[in-house]
Amino acid sequence: MSGPDRCPRPRGVRRGATLTLVFVSVLATAAVTGSLPRADERGTPLHARPASAEAPASDRGEDVARAAAEAVADGKSPSAAAAEVVSRSGDRWGAVYDPSAYEQFEDALDGRYTGVGLWARRTGDGRVEVTRVQPGGPAARAGIEAGDRLRTIDGRAVDQRPVTEVVSLLRGDGAAAGSRVVLGLERAGRTWAESLRRALLTTEAVTVSELPGGDVMIKVAAFTKGSGERVRTAVREAPEGAGVLLDLRGNTGGLVNEAARAASAFLDGGLVATYDVHGRQRALYADPANGADTSKPLVVLVDGGTMSAAELLTGALQDRGRAVTVGSRTFGKGSVQMPTDLPDGSVAELTVGHYRTPAGHSVDGKGITPDVPVTERAQERAETVLSGLGGRS
C-alpha cells in the first residue's frame, strides 16, 4: 500500500497497464443492491446516463483529448472541457477527476478512503439504517451502532434518497480528512445529532471468519491492491475438509488483476474472462503456478451489489463449474475503464470495452443469475448448499 508521500499527480504508468473494472465513482467502493438498499460511505457513483447514443470508445478518447487541448490553447479549463465531452458522449461510466479526486480514487484502490466509517442500507419503507461501523473510526468513537437510523446529514433529510446520494453526503464530495459532518440519528425513539470529523481510514478488503459448522467464510468487500493474494492465503489456511463460502455481496469491483488472482485460488489455470479494449480481443487467465485448491467445496454468495470485477470472478467460477452461486441477480457492470491524463493534471476515465465470462456470456446490463436464486436469508441458504457439497456446515 502506498505511503503518504505519494505524488498527487495521477501516475502515468497506470495508463494501459492496469485495467480497472470499477463502478466509476469519486472513490469507487460504494455497494449497490437492487434498488440501492446497501452501501458504505467510501464512494459515490455517477448517475447513469442513457447509453443509446454512446460513441465508439476510440472516438470518445480522441474527442476528450482534442477538447482538452483546444481548451488549453484558448486559456480555458481542459478538465471542464473534457467533462463536457464525457457528459455528451453517452459513456455512463465515464468521469473526469481533478488531481486531488483522482488521488483519492487511487487511495480507494489501495484500500484507503476518507469518511466516518459506517455502512448503511435503505429499508423497505425508504429509511436509511446503519448496518455496520468500522472499529476505531469516527462513527464508532461517537457511539453510533448498527441498527441506528440515519435521519439527516448536515441538515439534509436522507429518507427516500438512493443510498449512493447518502454516500456522497457522508463523504462531502471530496472533503478532506478533518472536515466536519453532522449526522442526525435515531435509536429506540430517541433522536440526537453527532458532529464527526472525517478521517483517512483503511479498509479491510478481505475478512475471514469461521462458520458455526467449521466451514470458512471469506468476505471480499472490494478488489483493492493485494486482495487477490489475501483470498489465496485464506484458502490455503482453511482447515482440511472445510468448505469455503466466498461472500461477494456488495462488492463493487476494483482491480481486474486482483479478481484474476483471487480466481487462481480456486482454478488451476485456464480462462477467467475475455475482454475487448478498443475492439482488440484479450483474455485473463488463472495462474496455474500457485497451487490452486480445486477440491474444496465452494459456494459464492452474490446480490444486486455484486459488480464489475466481482461479477468477473463470479462468472468464471460459475461457468467453469467450480462453484455453486447463491443469492440474487448481480448488478450487471461488465465494462472496462482506462485513465487518460489531461494537460492540467486531471484524469479522464473512459469506457474502452467490455468483458465476457469463459462461456461467452456478456454481463453488462444483464448481470449474472445465481444457480440458486434466493433473496431472503441468503447466507443461511448458502451455508446449507455448502453443507450439501461436502462442507462441514
Side-chain angles (χ1 to χ4, degrees), residues 1-14 98-107 110 112 225 341 344-345 347:
M1 193 172 292
S2 301
D5 59 343
R6 63 191 294 161
C7 176
R9 175 178 171 80
R11 294 171 295 209
V13 297
R14 211 183 246 287
D98 64 33
S100 176
Y102 197 72
E103 183 180 13
Q104 292 180 39
F105 176 87
E106 290 195 310
D107 279 347
D110 282 341
R112 300 180 297 183
K225 290 181 181 176
D341 292 342
D344 62 350
V347 177

Side-chain angles (χ1 to χ4, degrees), residues 76 91 152 179 188-189 224 299 356:
K76 299 178 181 178
D91 183 349
T152 62
S179 60
T224 56
V299 169
R356 289 175 173 78

Side-chain angles (χ1 to χ4, degrees), residues 67-382:
E70 291 175 354
V72 170
D74 294 340
K76 299 178 181 178
S77 167
S79 58
E84 177 65 23
V85 173
V86 172
S87 178
R88 295 197 310 263
S89 71
D91 183 349
R92 64 185 303 213
W93 304 113
V96 176
Y97 302 91
D98 64 33
S100 176
Y102 197 72
E103 183 180 13
Q104 292 180 39
F105 176 87
E106 290 195 310
D107 279 347
L109 294 176
D110 282 341
R112 300 180 297 183
Y113 71 102
T114 299
V116 299
L118 66 78
W119 285 253
R121 69 183 184 97
R122 195 171 74 185
T123 62
D125 61 2
R127 297 184 177 193
V128 177
E129 180 182 276
V130 176
T131 58
R132 184 161 70 93
V133 295
Q134 181 166 335
R141 292 197 301 270
I144 297 172
E145 300 176 357
D148 290 345
R149 177 188 172 193
L150 182 59
R151 297 167 56 92
T152 62
I153 301 174
D154 285 335
R156 300 182 185 182
V158 297
D159 284 357
Q160 307 303 324
R161 290 181 186 262
V163 175
T164 48
E165 290 187 18
V166 176
V167 167
S168 181
L169 292 173
L170 285 167
R171 288 214 60 262
D173 195 17
S179 60
R180 285 194 176 275
V181 58
V182 179
L183 307 185
L185 298 148
E186 180 180 336
R187 180 191 303 162
R190 178 176 72 93
T191 62
W192 80 101
E194 287 288 353
S195 179
L196 307 177
R197 287 190 181 275
R198 298 180 179 93
L200 182 62
L201 302 172
T202 301
T203 64
E204 288 293 336
V206 180
T207 54
V208 183
S209 58
E210 183 177 332
L211 295 172
D215 290 324
V216 173
M217 183 164 76
I218 303 173
K219 168 69 176 177
V220 186
F223 285 105
T224 56
K225 290 181 181 176
S227 58
E229 186 56 41
R230 287 194 286 275
V231 169
R232 295 201 301 196
T233 298
V235 173
R236 285 196 300 268
E237 294 179 351
E240 187 166 351
V244 173
L245 176 56
L246 182 63
D247 187 356
L248 300 181
R249 291 174 296 176
N251 183 319
T252 52
L255 298 169
V256 170
N257 290 344
E258 295 296 337
R261 289 189 184 99
S264 299
F266 307 103
L267 300 173
D268 189 14
L271 187 64
V272 172
T274 59
Y275 62 96
D276 60 275
V277 176
H278 297 311
R280 298 177 59 187
Q281 296 299 310
R282 303 183 186 181
L284 287 169
Y285 295 94
D287 186 350
N290 286 279
D293 191 316
T294 60
S295 60
K296 279 190 190 305
L298 175 63
V299 169
V300 180
L301 186 55
V302 298
D303 66 6
T306 304
M307 303 170 61
S308 209
E311 291 177 288
L312 180 149
L313 174 58
T314 302
L317 297 175
Q318 183 185 58
D319 279 5
R320 295 188 54 186
R322 179 60 184 90
V324 175
T325 54
V326 177
S328 52
R329 183 187 294 269
T330 63
F331 184 86
K333 181 186 181 292
S335 56
V336 181
Q337 281 72 45
M338 282 187 176
T340 298
D341 292 342
L342 301 177
D344 62 350
S346 299
V347 177
E349 282 267 353
L350 302 173
T351 299
V352 296
H354 298 82
Y355 76 85
R356 289 175 173 78
T357 68
H361 300 134
S362 174
V363 173
D364 207 47
K366 301 175 182 177
I368 295 172
T369 300
D371 300 312
V372 182
V374 58
T375 54
E376 300 294 330
R377 304 172 72 175
Q379 182 174 327
E380 181 179 322
R381 184 66 180 277

Side-chain angles (χ1 to χ4, degrees), residues 53-73:
E54 188 171 323
S58 57
D59 292 346
R60 282 198 301 273
E62 292 170 2
D63 290 346
V64 167
R66 185 183 307 111
E70 291 175 354
V72 170

Side-chain angles (χ1 to χ4, degrees), residues 4-61:
D5 59 343
R6 63 191 294 161
C7 176
R9 175 178 171 80
R11 294 171 295 209
V13 297
R14 211 183 246 287
R15 188 192 305 119
T18 304
L19 292 176
T20 55
L21 283 183
V22 293
F23 188 21
V24 175
S25 60
V26 175
L27 285 190
T29 43
V32 183
T33 54
S35 59
L36 305 179
R38 173 166 45 191
D40 63 49
E41 38 81 36
R42 290 172 291 169
T44 175
L46 301 176
H47 292 294
R49 290 180 284 273
S52 57
E54 188 171 323
S58 57
D59 292 346
R60 282 198 301 273

